[in-house]
Amino acid sequence: MFAYTSQPPAPAGVRDSELLAAFAAGTVIPVGNTPGSIVLTPDAAHAYVGNRGSDTVSVIDTATDTVTDTIPTGAGLGGVAISPDGTRVYATAAGDGLVNVIDTATNTIVTDIPVGAGATLVAFTPDGTRAYVTLQTTNLVSVVDTATNTVTGTVTVGTGPTGVVVTPDGTRAYVASFSGSVSAIDTATNTVIATIVAGDVPILLAVSSDGARVYVTNAGSSSVSVIDTATNTVTDTIGVSAMPRFLALSPDGSHLYVANSGPDTVGVIDTATRTVVENIGVGDGPLGIAVFPDGTRAYVSDSNAGTVEVMATTVIPDQGPTAGGTTVTLTGHHLANATAAHFGTAQAVITANTATSVTVTAPAGSGAVPVTVTTPGGTGTLGSFFYVPAPALTGISPAAGPVSGSDQAIVITGHNLAGAIDVFFGTTRAVIQSVSDTQITVRAGGAPAPGGVAVTVITSGGSADGLTYTYVGQSTVTNVSPGTGPTSGGTGVTITGTGLSHTEQVTFHGVPAPFAVISDTTVTASSPPSATEGTFDVTVTGPGGTSSGAFTYVSGPGI
């Protein structure tokens, strides 16, 4: 059926088909020191940003992307949350053990609520009658009656509770604790009804609009756990980049945005396939993220820069291989009955269409191209798409590490590596720490067994391999021969054992000795001088750890 459209398609929030220059450029808004959590008012007219380093809350006018007010808070600001009716912002002050209640009409603190030491984050019930406040230095959650602004009870959860969300129907609150668990609280009785084992150091959460899933960032394992709220079990774990922090869903729930503080990216997860489809480069130290209700942009707090960045979300993902084939969601207004979508001059295949979104398959192309949508109302530009060349790998250092995994930085070099999505050593995911176009720094996870494995790098432009990383088991030293030599040093010694081919150092009583690797079972070394006689350890160090034998120093004959 033909439907008349009086306006051409446009990114939501902009007039007609014009894309505001500031929006297109990615506006950067200076706020306070170390900004963290961000909340939007229900009408999205203002954003409140908690600045942990300056104990202030910045108020942003979202129409102009400017700070219009700065509100001092109590000591140790943790996070901010806004009541469902938008009249109050609760800001936690961990140092004071308070929640500061801010009137959004006057942007002043109207009362303080003593909630307990370590107040960290807050979540309101959908009706706004209660707020749940995590106390990170304890194992408690305080329950606040918002009519009286008093604590009516506490709930015991795991150690180090941090993140908290309440399901859309208000029946459950979920709390992530450093100790490794997520507690499900029945809000009718304020009792824990399930303790869910998540990843390593779960910290923050987001809940889907239907309440069916809770997403949890795990800071220790650099992953996102997916919890089925019907069974209160983890149904999937999605690997992301280093130091994942706050996360937020797109309004339609199709994408989950995760702030990766380590490599300064926002990871974009397709919630249907539960895979990362893009890593978007942002400012220094992203922590908080808030997606606008129209789905066309998000605010990202860059903690180390003291800014909030405007991130376009009208074209997601906004990069893909030159061969095309990427599934892309275009978000805006007046998109119903779209007749065509173009990436530059090439036409994309439309696979789904609503009044606010068009799903397409990207055509082949190259470089950066405008993305346009045509409807009966005209043609509008929604953003840009970047065609990314396939990556290529040239080197890796170090090329070996312990089979148990390591926190050692491993540097992979090559070309077209920017925006790397994943790195694998065999079947083991390596956690991305930082990325440039020519270099990726990762940390290796553990492997099932020692041995060489292929290194694979996945970017929006494709995948590359051709390098090998070797997982090394614990070496052993079975013999040191000869086992005796003069204190003057210089004794040629043969060290035998297993797993010696990756030896990095040999020491006699802690003193480095010159050595040569002969084979996996043999290393030769020359004993260094010793100031004293005695039997001391001969220690062989490699990627898999250390192992030791013994060598006895004796003095030469004298008068």
Side-chain angles (χ1 to χ4, degrees):
M1 177 182 294
F2 177 80
Y4 175 73
T5 305
S6 60
Q7 293 177 291
V14 302
R15 287 180 286 275
D16 299 323
S17 62
E18 294 179 355
L19 187 63
L20 293 174
F23 176 77
T27 303
V28 175
I29 309 165
V31 288
N33 296 333
T34 323
S37 61
I38 308 172
V39 292
L40 295 166
T41 54
D43 61 2
H46 294 90
Y48 288 78
V49 184
N51 303 306
R52 300 180 304 154
S54 53
D55 290 333
T56 59
V57 173
S58 296
V59 185
I60 298 173
D61 182 329
T62 62
T64 60
D65 289 331
T66 57
V67 172
T68 58
D69 213 340
T70 301
I71 308 164
T73 66
L77 176 67
V80 291
I82 194 161
S83 60
D85 63 4
T87 62
R88 297 287 187 271
V89 167
Y90 277 17
T92 58
D96 295 333
L98 300 173
V99 168
N100 303 141
V101 181
I102 298 170
D103 183 331
T104 57
T106 61
N107 285 330
T108 58
I109 294 176
V110 293
T111 192
D112 295 325
I113 309 171
V115 292
T120 305
L121 293 174
V122 182
F124 287 92
T125 55
D127 61 6
T129 60
R130 283 169 293 165
Y132 288 79
V133 184
T134 55
L135 309 178
Q136 192 181 79
T137 57
T138 70
N139 61 346
L140 297 174
V141 174
S142 289
V143 185
V144 174
D145 181 327
T146 60
T148 61
N149 282 324
T150 58
V151 173
T152 58
T154 58
V155 184
T156 301
V157 292
T159 302
T162 303
V164 55
V165 293
V166 177
T167 54
D169 64 4
T171 62
R172 300 286 187 271
Y174 286 83
V175 177
S177 300
F178 283 172
S179 55
S181 65
V182 174
S183 302
I185 299 172
D186 183 330
T187 58
T189 60
N190 285 329
T191 57
V192 173
I193 57 172
T195 300
I196 307 157
V197 177
D200 185 18
V201 194
I203 52 171
L204 298 163
L205 312 99
V207 60
S208 61
S209 59
D210 61 3
R213 289 168 302 283
V214 168
Y215 299 91
V216 188
T217 50
N218 302 304
S221 52
S222 296
S223 62
V224 172
S225 295
V226 184
I227 296 174
D228 182 331
T229 58
T231 60
N232 283 325
T233 57
V234 173
T235 57
D236 212 341
T237 300
I238 306 163
V240 293
S241 297
M243 300 172 64
R245 293 299 187 256
F246 284 93
L247 62 173
L249 284 153
S250 61
D252 64 2
S254 63
H255 293 103
L256 178 68
Y257 298 93
V258 183
N260 300 316
S261 191
D264 299 335
T265 61
V266 171
V268 183
I269 295 173
D270 183 321
T271 57
T273 62
R274 297 181 180 177
T275 57
V276 177
V277 295
E278 180 177 18
N279 279 327
I280 302 171
V282 291
D284 191 1
L287 283 183
I289 185 165
V291 180
F292 278 68
D294 63 12
T296 64
R297 58 175 173 159
Y299 275 173
V300 180
S301 62
D302 297 327
S303 62
N304 297 333
T307 58
V308 168
E309 181 174 348
V310 184
M311 184 181 77
T313 55
T314 50
V315 181
I316 294 294
D318 67 355
Q319 51 187 295
T322 56
T326 304
T327 298
V328 180
T329 300
L330 311 177
T331 303
H333 281 168
H334 321 306
L335 300 179
N337 303 304
T339 56
H342 285 85
F343 285 45
T345 58
Q347 186 162 337
V349 176
I350 297 174
T351 58
N353 185 201
T354 70
T356 57
S357 71
V358 181
T359 303
V360 301
T361 302
S366 63
V369 297
V371 177
T372 61
V373 173
T374 300
T375 71
T379 297
T381 301
L382 271 70
S384 297
F385 187 83
F386 301 87
Y387 285 99
V388 181
L393 308 182
T394 58
I396 182 170
S397 179
V403 70
S404 59
S406 172
D407 285 338
Q408 181 181 25
I410 301 167
V411 177
I412 300 168
T413 54
H415 306 290
N416 305 321
L417 304 180
I421 294 171
D422 252 325
V423 176
F424 287 92
F425 290 178
T427 58
T428 301
R429 187 177 66 90
V431 177
I432 296 173
Q433 308 293 316
S434 63
V435 181
S436 71
D437 196 53
T438 58
Q439 181 174 297
I440 305 174
T441 302
V442 301
R443 288 192 167 93
V453 296
V455 176
T456 304
V457 172
I458 300 170
T459 73
S460 297
S463 64
D465 51 26
L467 301 177
T468 299
Y469 182 82
T470 302
Y471 282 103
V472 180
Q474 174 69 51
S475 61
T476 63
V477 173
T478 57
N479 189 50
V480 177
S481 179
T484 304
T487 55
S488 58
T491 302
V493 172
T494 298
I495 303 167
T496 54
T498 61
L500 302 178
S501 59
H502 292 278
T503 296
E504 297 170 342
Q505 186 181 60
V506 175
T507 61
F508 285 63
H509 193 32
V511 178
F515 71 94
V517 175
I518 306 305
S519 69
D520 193 56
T521 59
T522 305
V523 170
T524 60
S526 178
S527 64
S530 175
T532 59
E533 293 183 301
T535 300
F536 304 110
D537 283 343
V538 176
T539 302
V540 176
T541 301
T546 63
S547 55
S548 298
F551 183 82
T552 301
Y553 281 102
V554 295
S555 297
I559 297 175

